[in-house]
Amino acid sequence: MDRLASFGNDPFDKPPCRGCSSYLTEPYIKCAECGPSPFLLCLQCFTKGFEYKKHESDHKYEIMTSDFPVLEPGWTAQEEMALLEAVMDCGFGNWQDVAYQMRTKTKEECESHYMKNFINNPLFSSTLLSLRKTKDSRFAEGAIPFKPTDDPPRPTFDSVLSRDMAGYMPARADFMEEFDNYAEWDLKDIDFVDDDSDILRALKLSVVDIYHSRLKERQRRKKVIRDHGLINLRKFQMLERCYPKEVQELYDVMRRFARVVGPIEHDKFIESHACAKVYERVKRMREDERRKRTMLCDVLQYIQDGRACQQWLSKQAAIDAGITPAVTTITVSGRRSAPPLNLTGLPGTEKLNEREKELCQVVRLVPGAYLEYKQALLNECRRQGGLRLAQARALIKIDVNKTRKIYDFLIKEGYITKA
């Protein structure tokens, strides 16, 4: 009984003959009773009545051949399989390469037969549609499209564009050379037979597991290339040049870690570093404004005391000239108390109650500074569960007597508690 062979045209793809261990050529014999692995014999061993273990010469058998037409006269089953394999290897549309691989049909014959029987054939339309849906669902994990809506470029082998694209072939959505390109060589001579020992079978299974891990690594690298857009090298380099020089250096150093995170997270990390200088500049501006506010507080404390104001101006002039200011002391008898600070028009006055206004007038502290010191002391008290005077003085870098008055006032009013 003639049956379509389940192997390709290459005799090396078939298991060897069980009798003489030679490579099988069609037609050959398959035992219909031995299994589950096929028991195959060449015609010479079959005519000699070869027997082995459970196989006997009187078993039923099948004649395996593919030399008969399937879809139309002039095309044998063997040629049909060769055409499908050639289209799979060379890609749909590359009919010149398909005909060269088949060697028995011309370019026009291959194209006409394939379009008639496998594309425009109503018998296969539903099957092809389901295969197309299955391919689309797996497309993101396998092939890497260049631009699905455009006719992709077809760079010649070893051209500049081909090298820039790392040997990527957009028409086939795959690379000319895979990562670990010869991984399949370790499997080409492995054959599982019934008489394998347990150790030999376990060894063969281990080789298959290693091969699967190498395939996973190949797919992982393709995913990194696809997700990070690394196929077009020139475009990727132009994108890097948009950053400042120091960020470009960081991009070059951190590129090896791109495989760990996704493309969006990696770009966010690089761009956040680019914004770091802006943050540092804004931070310095904020600190300068804060120093100016502190200096204003010092000026306002002396503005209504002519003698103290003169001493402060002399001190600042000496500092600006690079001279150590002389320390002036005022005798108790000659010292007069400064008048209360006038809070009219000062920012933050409307946020104070009457007792706080009175404190700021006596201590000669502007409302904005008082509110800032008060908030700092409240936060530290909540964090510590209480606050000591020494801690308050460490937080507020002003005159210790003023710090003592503010500390006592907040204790009295119940804003903070002693530690």
Side-chain angles (χ1 to χ4, degrees), residues 66-336:
S66 56
D67 189 17
F68 56 90
V70 177
L71 299 177
E72 64 180 42
W75 281 78
T76 64
Q78 185 175 0
E79 289 176 330
E80 297 285 358
M81 291 188 295
L83 175 63
L84 296 177
E85 290 178 359
V87 172
M88 185 181 301
D89 293 339
C90 303
F92 177 77
N94 298 325
W95 303 114
Q96 186 66 40
D97 296 337
V98 171
Y100 179 79
Q101 181 168 325
M102 285 198 60
R103 299 182 183 277
T104 58
K105 301 293 181 181
T106 65
K107 169 186 174 182
E108 291 75 14
E109 290 175 335
C110 293
E111 180 179 4
S112 174
H113 182 78
Y114 191 87
M115 297 298 295
K116 175 183 176 182
N117 295 283
F118 295 100
I119 300 298
N120 301 324
N121 191 343
L123 179 63
F124 298 142
S125 59
S126 59
T127 304
L128 291 174
L129 181 61
S130 61
L131 290 175
R132 181 176 300 175
K133 291 181 179 179
T134 304
K135 179 182 179 181
D136 292 341
S137 64
R138 298 180 181 178
F139 194 73
E141 297 298 330
I144 307 174
F146 187 80
K147 285 184 178 179
T149 58
D150 301 336
D151 185 28
R154 305 172 189 270
T156 58
F157 176 72
D158 204 28
S159 62
V160 176
L161 181 58
S162 177
R163 290 194 297 270
D164 287 344
M165 298 172 63
Y168 177 72
M169 298 176 290
R172 293 179 55 187
D174 209 341
F175 289 89
M176 187 172 298
E177 287 193 11
E178 298 279 5
F179 168 75
D180 201 357
N181 197 46
Y182 301 101
E184 287 77 12
W185 282 25
D186 295 335
L187 296 178
K188 63 185 181 66
D189 295 327
I190 292 182
D191 179 28
F192 289 88
V193 295
D194 293 337
D195 55 348
D196 285 343
S197 64
D198 294 339
I199 296 178
L200 182 58
R201 185 176 182 83
L203 179 61
K204 292 180 179 180
L205 291 175
S206 299
V207 174
V208 174
D209 290 339
I210 294 173
Y211 172 68
H212 285 166
S213 65
R214 295 162 80 176
L215 288 183
K216 290 180 181 178
E217 176 62 18
R218 182 183 293 174
Q219 290 300 112
R220 187 190 70 82
R221 289 175 178 254
K222 283 186 178 181
K223 186 176 185 300
V224 172
I225 293 174
R226 180 186 64 247
D227 292 348
H228 289 268
L230 302 179
I231 294 177
N232 196 330
L233 180 60
R234 291 184 180 179
K235 184 177 180 180
F236 188 77
Q237 291 174 342
M238 291 177 60
L239 178 63
E240 286 187 353
R241 295 192 187 101
C242 297
Y243 295 108
K245 182 178 180 181
E246 58 274 9
V247 181
Q248 293 182 23
E249 295 175 354
L250 177 67
Y251 221 117
D252 185 62
V253 173
M254 298 302 296
R255 185 180 293 115
R256 68 193 65 182
F257 298 104
R259 70 188 69 179
V260 181
V261 296
I264 297 178
E265 291 79 5
H266 183 68
D267 289 344
K268 282 183 177 180
F269 171 76
I270 301 298
E271 292 175 1
S272 63
H273 188 275
C275 296
K277 285 195 171 183
V278 179
Y279 167 76
E280 293 294 337
R281 184 169 64 252
V282 174
K283 182 180 179 181
R284 286 194 299 269
M285 293 173 58
R286 189 185 301 114
E287 292 176 351
D288 292 341
E289 291 294 333
R290 185 171 182 177
R291 283 196 296 269
K292 291 179 181 179
R293 289 198 301 269
T294 305
M295 184 179 297
L296 178 62
C297 295
D298 295 339
V299 173
L300 291 175
Q301 292 175 14
Y302 295 104
I303 198 66
Q304 297 183 6
D305 188 343
R307 185 183 182 88
C309 181
Q310 186 62 37
Q311 292 179 357
W312 186 85
L313 291 175
S314 300
K315 175 183 176 182
Q316 293 300 318
I319 293 175
D320 293 340
I323 305 173
T324 303
V327 179
T328 59
T329 57
I330 303 176
T331 60
V332 177
S333 58
R335 183 169 183 173
R336 57 180 181 178

Side-chain angles (χ1 to χ4, degrees), residues 336-406:
R336 57 180 181 178
S337 59
L341 179 64
N342 185 9
L343 303 182
T344 305
L346 293 180
T349 304
E350 69 280 358
K351 298 180 181 180
L352 305 179
N353 57 35
E354 293 301 326
R355 290 184 297 277
E356 290 177 324
K357 291 179 181 179
E358 182 179 353
L359 172 68
C360 290
Q361 289 174 342
V362 173
V363 181
R364 300 186 60 80
L365 192 64
V366 294
Y370 165 74
L371 292 173
E372 184 178 349
Y373 299 152
K374 174 185 175 182
Q375 189 62 42
L377 296 177
L378 289 176
N379 292 340
E380 185 67 17
C381 182
R382 293 193 193 100
R383 192 174 67 87
Q384 299 286 347
L387 194 66
R388 298 194 303 273
L389 178 59
Q391 294 173 323
R393 287 174 174 169
L395 288 174
I396 304 177
K397 304 297 184 180
I398 59 175
D399 182 71
V400 293
N401 295 322
K402 293 183 179 182
T403 304
R404 177 60 182 264
K405 292 179 180 180
I406 296 174

